[in-house]
Amino acid sequence: METVNAPMASYGIEPGLRFALLLDGKGGCCQLDMAQSRAWKPGDGVLWLHLERDHPAAADWVHTRGDFDPVVADALLEEETRPRVEPVDDGLLIILRGVCATSPEEGEEKPADIDLVPLHLWVDGDRVISLRDKGHYVTALRDIRKALHKGKGPSHSGDLLAMIGDKLVRDLEPVLDAMDEEVDELDDLIFHGDAGEVRERLKLLRRRAVQLRRYLAPQRDALNRMEHDDAPWLNERDKLRLREVIDKLMRFIEYLDAIRDRTGILHDDLSTVIGERIAHNSNRLAALAALLLPPSVVAGLFGMNVGGIPGVDKGWAFATIVGFVTITSIVTLWVLKRINWL
């Protein structure tokens, strides 16, 4: 089969096809188009075909050209999936989750929220078929293509699978680091920032932590099952690399649990701070009411529209009442300070 050497693997040139590569077994690759990939035979080398799961052309290829069991084909095109691994004959049906990055066509702006998007894989000794949605972009696959372009990529399907798992887990680290930094920032803002803003950010951070763990825990189990599979194309070096990936993922899950616990503690601290602020404001209001109580009582007594009010005809009566109210207010203020209400 005639192949084309290219400075970089094609990306999204044909409908439903992101790229098609033929591994040369030495860390490099050749670029293929859809017609050449259809003419591929197992003896030509390991084929890596990356398709858009939600494109009709990709669905047609999976059902008519992929030579898959119908159950496998349906699983590869399934929309809502969780990480898992299913051995089928000499191959593995694999569904993993990776961090959705910004497509190169959309610039370097980071997404507003973290999204773990599905990556569907079929891997056997002769080919690797990967599928992801058109609107998703997984940095791990781009980095592997760049390594293949430099001649430093995977040499066989087991090596490629281990590298995909490694890169997917690697992309989680900056996400968790950013979440940890946000927790530290919120820890400082609790006592000096706006309580409403802190509460909203804590809610979003906890929701993000729960969402990430929802997929990372089954992804750990899926990678563990891959590492223990007896597929002949998975050699000991590939399994050793998968063990390292599993160990790193377990540490990330523990890290995520720590972030989730810290956000829970911060939420409790925030509730305590808000309660203390409410109590402090209530004390101020009570102290103000106590200070105004003597003048209010005197004003109420002497403001009654009845006969017999003393000092009506005396010039010194008003000054006496003002002096009494002033002395009473000073005494009340002193008492409030003694009991630490002010």
Side-chain angles (χ1 to χ4, degrees), residues 233-249:
W233 43 268
L234 270 175
N235 59 39
E236 287 302 319
R237 184 177 179 275
D238 302 330
K239 293 183 178 182
L240 177 61
R241 187 167 189 174
L242 284 173
R243 281 196 290 271
E244 293 296 323
V245 173
I246 295 168
D247 180 69
K248 185 185 298 184
L249 183 57

Side-chain angles (χ1 to χ4, degrees), residues 110-123:
K110 294 182 179 180
D113 200 2
I114 303 300
D115 191 15
L116 287 183
V117 297
L119 179 65
H120 299 209
L121 297 160
W122 169 263
V123 185

Side-chain angles (χ1 to χ4, degrees), residues 18-321:
R18 302 313 295 173
F19 58 80
L21 304 176
L22 185 65
L23 276 60
D24 61 10
K26 301 177 182 179
C29 68
C30 296
Q31 174 183 325
L32 306 178
D33 57 24
M34 184 62 86
Q36 290 171 325
S37 67
R38 289 171 179 168
W40 168 88
K41 300 183 296 296
D44 296 332
V46 175
L47 173 69
W48 182 15
L49 197 63
H50 188 44
L51 305 170
E52 294 177 351
R53 185 201 60 84
D54 50 353
H55 196 285
D60 177 70
W61 188 94
V62 170
H63 282 296
T64 62
R65 301 281 184 174
D67 193 25
F68 296 117
D69 183 279
V71 176
V72 174
D74 291 340
L76 287 174
L77 298 172
E78 190 177 357
E79 185 169 354
E80 293 296 330
T81 55
R82 289 171 62 85
R84 63 190 177 97
V85 172
E86 296 295 339
V88 181
D89 297 329
D90 290 334
L92 291 177
L93 169 65
I94 305 167
I95 298 173
L96 300 175
R97 288 265 173 169
V99 177
C100 185
T102 304
S103 172
E105 294 87 351
E106 299 175 1
E108 296 298 328
E109 183 180 355
K110 294 182 179 180
D113 200 2
I114 303 300
D115 191 15
L116 287 183
V117 297
L119 179 65
H120 299 209
L121 297 160
W122 169 263
V123 185
D124 56 31
D126 299 313
R127 59 180 181 168
V128 176
I129 311 297
S130 57
L131 301 96
R132 55 93 169 160
D133 288 359
K134 182 177 181 180
H136 297 159
Y137 183 71
V138 183
T139 310
L141 304 187
R142 179 201 63 186
D143 294 345
I144 297 174
R145 288 191 299 114
K146 287 183 177 180
L148 285 167
H149 164 64
K150 296 177 181 178
K152 299 180 180 180
S155 59
H156 58 276
S157 56
D159 192 12
L160 175 57
L161 176 59
M163 188 173 290
I164 290 175
D166 185 23
K167 300 296 185 182
L168 289 177
V169 173
R170 175 210 61 184
D171 291 343
L172 292 170
E173 188 166 6
V175 173
L176 297 181
D177 288 341
M179 293 175 65
D180 188 61
E181 291 176 2
E182 187 173 2
V183 171
D184 292 337
E185 181 182 351
L186 292 176
D187 195 3
D188 296 332
L189 288 176
I190 280 181
F191 300 98
H192 308 290
D194 179 69
E197 178 188 356
V198 174
R199 185 189 295 109
E200 185 65 22
R201 291 178 61 181
L202 271 177
K203 181 179 70 175
L204 293 176
L205 191 58
R206 294 180 71 180
R207 183 183 302 169
R208 193 182 309 160
V210 171
Q211 179 189 16
L212 288 174
R213 200 188 192 289
R214 176 189 175 193
Y215 292 112
L216 293 188
Q219 183 139 313
R220 174 197 57 198
D221 298 336
L223 291 173
N224 189 61
R225 187 168 183 180
M226 286 164 48
E227 189 263 326
H228 286 90
D229 193 87
D230 57 356
W233 43 268
L234 270 175
N235 59 39
E236 287 302 319
R237 184 177 179 275
D238 302 330
K239 293 183 178 182
L240 177 61
R241 187 167 189 174
L242 284 173
R243 281 196 290 271
E244 293 296 323
V245 173
I246 295 168
D247 180 69
K248 185 185 298 184
L249 183 57
M250 290 179 65
R251 287 189 283 108
F252 285 170
I253 292 175
E254 293 172 356
Y255 194 18
L256 190 61
D257 289 339
I259 292 175
R260 187 180 57 181
D261 293 341
R262 288 185 63 191
T263 56
I265 294 173
L266 289 182
H267 185 271
D268 294 339
D269 290 343
L270 179 62
S271 300
T272 301
V273 169
I274 293 175
E276 290 176 351
R277 290 176 181 175
I278 293 174
H280 187 60
N281 292 335
S282 299
N283 288 346
R284 287 182 174 181
L285 292 174
L288 180 61
L291 285 174
L292 295 177
L293 181 59
S296 299
V297 172
V298 174
L301 289 174
F302 285 88
M304 292 186 297
N305 191 19
V306 296
I309 297 177
V312 173
D313 300 325
K314 306 296 182 180
W316 49 263
F318 178 74
T320 302
I321 293 175

